[in-house]
Each structure stands twice: as C-alpha cells, then as structure tokens.
C-alpha cells in the first residue's frame, strides 16, 4: 500500500522530518488538550491544524538545526 502512491516514493528528497515529528507532536497535542481546543472547536479541524503545525515545526527543525549538526559529524 505504501509504495502504491508514486508521489510519496521520493519523500526523502525534502529532508528527514521523522525526528522533528517525533519530538514536536507530543507537546503540541498536550498544549491543545490543556487549552481545551478539542471541545471549543471542531475536533477534525483541530486535529488537522495540529498535523500542519507539527509538520511545519519538523520542517523548520530539519532545515535550521538537524541538517547543520549532521554536516559537522
């Protein structure tokens, strides 16, 4: 199933966002839960905005931090 979508096969050319997703997803979700946003707004919209925010932070993390440190190794 994962290899059936041709546009996803070359995702790594944009960078390795997996660590950023791993690091940032939990604090963002906890912040949203503590602010009670799932009850105040549409839960699907909140979940979608969490996904977008986490991917954006992972992208920034890769390009501004991780890639630079990996070049030094």
């Amino acid at each position: 199933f994962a290899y059936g979508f041709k546009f996803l096969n070359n995702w790594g050319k944009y960078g390795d966002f997996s660590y950023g997703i791993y690091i940032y997803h939990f604090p963002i979700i906890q912040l949203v839960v503590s602010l009670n946003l799932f009850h105040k707004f549409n839960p699907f919209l909140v979940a979608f905005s969490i996904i977008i925010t986490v991917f954006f932070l992972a992208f920034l993390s890769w390009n501004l931090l991780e890639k630079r440190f990996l070049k030094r190794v």
Side-chain angles (χ1 to χ4, degrees):
F1 181 77
Y3 294 109
F5 300 104
K6 297 294 182 195
F7 65 93
L8 292 177
N9 288 345
N10 201 8
W11 183 257
K13 71 179 179 181
Y14 301 111
D16 184 9
F17 307 122
S18 61
Y19 186 70
I21 292 170
Y22 169 72
I23 290 294
Y24 296 117
H25 85 279
F26 186 73
I28 297 298
I29 292 171
Q30 291 302 308
L31 176 67
V32 168
V33 168
S34 71
L35 294 174
N36 233 2
L37 295 180
F38 280 109
H39 296 291
K40 293 179 183 176
F41 301 105
N42 183 352
F44 294 107
L45 182 62
V46 174
F48 181 73
S49 63
I50 289 172
I51 292 169
I52 296 299
T53 303
V54 167
F55 273 104
F56 179 70
L57 289 174
F59 175 80
L60 287 179
S61 177
W62 170 255
N63 287 305
L64 298 177
L65 295 171
E66 299 170 38
K67 190 168 34 171
R68 291 181 183 178
F69 280 102
L70 287 173
K71 285 181 181 178
R72 293 180 183 202
V73 175

